[in-house]
Structures are given as structure tokens and as C-alpha cells.
């Protein structure tokens, strides 16, 4: 297991170390290859902000700390996927209960219930829901008629093989952390890295466990 994957299975969380991401796209490729994700769809994407800009002197590019200090962070790359939020906005807005937060922590899409209305896409702050092209003609009255797809956190792979999520295991810089909230917070502290998301986003992702990040 890579050092970014600290534990798997029930209650494991997935979270980016933005300061370690080098925007290589390895996570995107790993996910697509593992799950045969269609070309026009991504279960994870790397969002780049302030492209080409240098960070303030003395700070690494991708520095979350720079933002907190009111300094220029420079080009910042963030692996964005479903973080299987504790207080998932997608679950609360889904009118058909297609989306559920399961007892073991995974946020699941129940395909047979999804009507493709795309409310979850509007609600998700991280751009996780995807609506792949489909021509089966289902539910054309609402949305675009397609069934939502998103990152599963490789739930099947975790439960069947004990392996970590493919994106995290393939990341050459261990920029995708997998483990309990405590393990992730400890690892970020060990690396002297900071979280990029603000307190509101951290509450959405981790709920009460966000406290361990000292927000
Ligand atoms: S990241 Fe988006 S899709 Fe995933 S649980 Fe959170 S709100 Fe829902
Ligand atoms: S956890 Fe699995 S499904 Fe989710 S982005 Fe990573 S590789 Fe894709």
C-alpha cells in the first residue's frame, strides 16, 4: 500500500493533499482504466486554479497555507471527486432518494431510482455527479434522462480485495489520502500540509469529525 492509503473499508474517508498534487492526471487515468469510465465522463478530475502563476516568496505552489495567510498561493491543483461527504448535499436534494449515505460511510447512487434531474449536480460543491450520454430514452421528461454516475470510492475493490482506491494507489506523490479523519489529519500534520477547503466545505465533508483538522 502507498503511504497515502492508511486504511480502507468501513468509515474510510478520501481527501486530497493539495500541496502534494503535481497535476499529472495519473488519478484520472487510474480511475478510467480500473472502471472502464467512458471518454466523456470523469469520476475524478484535477481542477487547476491560478494557472501559471507563481506563489508568494517562500511558499510552495499549491500552498493552502498561503491562502490562510492572505498571500498568493500560485498555481494550485486539486483532485476533485466525490468525497463521500458526511453531510452530503446531493443526498439531501435528491427527490427520488436515489442517493444515500450508507451506514458504512459510502455515498451510493441507486441507478434504478435516478431520474436524471441533475439536482445533485447543482448541490455538489465538488462537481462529482456526472451524466454520461445515453440513448435508452429513459425518463426524458425530467433532466437529460441519464443516470447519474460518480466516484464510488472504489467500494467494490476495497471490500473484495482490501486494496485502496485506484486513484490513491496510483498517485505518484500520495496526494490522495485514504483513512479515518484522524489518520488523514495526522498525515497532513506530519507533512506540514494544510487543508485547502474552508470550514463550511470541511463541515460538509467530515461533519463533526472536521474538528480534528483544527478548523
Ligand atoms: S462530493 Fe458531492 S456527490 Fe459526493 S457526497 Fe459530497 S455532495 Fe454528494
Ligand atoms: S476512488 Fe475509485 S472511483 Fe473514485 S475517483 Fe478514485 S479510482 Fe475513481
Amino acid at each position: 500500500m502507498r503511504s497515502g492509503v492508511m486504511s480502507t473499508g468501513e468509515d474510510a474517508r478520501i481527501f486530497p493533499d493539495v500541496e502534494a498534487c503535481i497535476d499529472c492526471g495519473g488519478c484520472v487515468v487510474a480511475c478510467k482504466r480500473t472502471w472502464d469510465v467512458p471518454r466523456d465522463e470523469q469520476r475524478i478530475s484535477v481542477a487547476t486554479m491560478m494557472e501559471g502563476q507563481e506563489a508568494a516568496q517562500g511558499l510552495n505552489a499549491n500552498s493552502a497555507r498561503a491562502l490562510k495567510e492572505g498571500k498568493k498561493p500560485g498555481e494550485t491543483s486539486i483532485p476533485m471527486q466525490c468525497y463521500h461527504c458526511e453531510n452530503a448535499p446531493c443526498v439531501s436534494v435528491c427527490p427520488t432518494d436515489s442517493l444515500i449515505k450508507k451506514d458504512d460511510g459510502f455515498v451510493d447512487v441507486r441507478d434504478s431510482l435516478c431520474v436524471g434531474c441533475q439536482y445533485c449536480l447543482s448541490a455538489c460543491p465538488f462537481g462529482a455527479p456526472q451524466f454520461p450520454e445515453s440513448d435508452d430514452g429513459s425518463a426524458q421528461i425530467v433532466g437529460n434522462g441519464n443516470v447519474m454516475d460518480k466516484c464510488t470510492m472504489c467500494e467494490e475493490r476495497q471490500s473484495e480485495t482490501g486494496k485502496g482506491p485506484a486513484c490513491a494507489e496510483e498517485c505518484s506523490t500520495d496526494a490522495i489520502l485514504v483513512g479515518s479523519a484522524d489518520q488523514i489529519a495526522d498525515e497532513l500534520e506530519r507533512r506540514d500540509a494544510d487543508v485547502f477547503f474552508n470550514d463550511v466545505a470541511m463541515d460538509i465533508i467530515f461533519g463533526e469529525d472536521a474538528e480534528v483538522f483544527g478548523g
Side-chain angles (χ1 to χ4, degrees), residues 2-214:
R2 299 195 59 90
S3 79
V5 180
M6 295 164 286
S7 62
T8 59
E10 195 165 340
D11 293 332
R13 312 304 311 262
I14 192 159
F15 192 70
D17 171 2
V18 169
E19 296 186 26
C21 179
I22 55 169
D23 194 14
C24 68
C27 52
V28 180
V29 175
C31 178
K32 279 183 174 281
R33 197 183 54 229
T34 305
W35 298 112
D36 211 10
V37 177
R39 204 169 54 171
D40 61 350
E41 187 194 335
Q42 281 182 258
R43 289 180 173 180
I44 182 169
S45 60
V46 182
T48 301
M49 297 162 59
M50 295 160 279
E51 197 161 353
Q53 294 185 30
E54 283 186 20
Q57 216 172 4
L59 290 163
N60 288 334
N62 276 11
S63 176
R65 186 162 296 115
L67 285 182
K68 290 209 171 111
E69 291 176 5
K71 294 183 185 154
K72 197 173 160 191
E75 183 171 310
T76 303
S77 300
I78 317 166
M80 304 274 274
Q81 65 208 97
C82 176
Y83 298 122
H84 298 261
C85 305
E86 198 58 40
N87 297 315
C90 58
V91 171
S92 60
V93 300
C94 180
T96 62
D97 291 334
S98 163
L99 280 157
I100 48 166
K101 172 85 175 166
K102 299 198 302 184
D103 290 343
D104 58 11
F106 294 94
V107 173
D108 252 13
V109 191
R110 296 187 286 184
D111 287 1
S112 61
L113 295 175
C114 178
V115 292
C117 67
Q118 302 198 5
Y119 284 181
C120 55
L121 179 60
S122 307
C124 176
F126 311 112
Q130 303 281 299
F131 290 86
E133 292 293 319
S134 128
D135 57 7
D136 66 4
S138 60
Q140 290 294 350
I141 293 171
V142 286
N144 66 357
N146 298 332
V147 172
M148 193 270 259
D149 184 57
K150 70 167 184 67
C151 159
T152 61
M153 208 175 147
C154 293
E155 181 178 8
E156 201 180 311
R157 177 179 153 109
Q158 290 195 44
S159 61
E160 285 178 8
T161 68
K163 288 182 178 171
C167 54
E169 292 212 324
E170 197 120 345
C171 178
S172 59
T173 61
D174 290 323
I176 299 176
L177 303 173
V178 180
S180 68
D182 283 302
Q183 286 173 320
I184 292 171
D186 287 349
E187 180 62 12
L188 287 171
E189 197 176 336
R190 189 185 69 76
R191 297 178 181 192
D192 194 24
D194 219 331
V195 298
F196 189 81
F197 298 117
N198 66 19
D199 292 349
V200 176
M202 291 300 279
D203 277 345
I204 289 173
I205 298 171
F206 288 103
E208 288 178 0
D209 288 346
E211 286 172 14
V212 300
F213 294 91

